[in-house]
Amino acid sequence: MTTVLTPASPLTAADRCDRCGAQAYLRVVLLSGGELLFCAHHGRKFEPELKKIAAEIQDETERLTAPPATAPDEER
């Protein structure tokens, strides 16, 4: 997925996928205005269509595989 790094606020657990309601890890700012939020699954599923209509894509899916900040150093 093409990612544009923007100074947008990080997504939180309160941000939910517009398709299924799971936690959102992608924010898609539309060329026409407005935004859509997607979980990683639906972000990948709709990637080709999103690229056509997106002004920006904020992708935070790396958070799914990152070790927690409280993990011991050997687990990071």
Side-chain angles (χ1 to χ4, degrees):
M1 178 158 300
T2 302
T3 304
V4 176
L5 298 176
T6 63
S9 59
L11 295 166
T12 69
D15 293 309
R16 311 311 285 179
C17 176
D18 290 327
R19 182 71 177 164
C20 70
Q23 184 172 348
Y25 289 94
L26 285 102
R27 174 181 286 128
V28 180
V29 179
L30 303 173
L31 291 169
S32 60
E35 69 180 25
L36 297 171
L37 300 175
F38 291 100
C39 63
H41 165 79
H42 285 112
R44 284 189 300 271
K45 181 177 180 178
F46 298 121
E47 179 181 2
E49 293 82 11
L50 293 173
K51 285 182 176 181
K52 295 175 188 174
I53 61 171
E56 298 179 33
I57 298 176
Q58 178 182 348
D59 184 353
E60 297 184 9
T61 55
E62 75 282 349
R63 292 176 33 214
L64 292 167
T65 56
T70 57
D73 287 339
E74 62 272 5
E75 291 181 22
R76 291 187 202 178

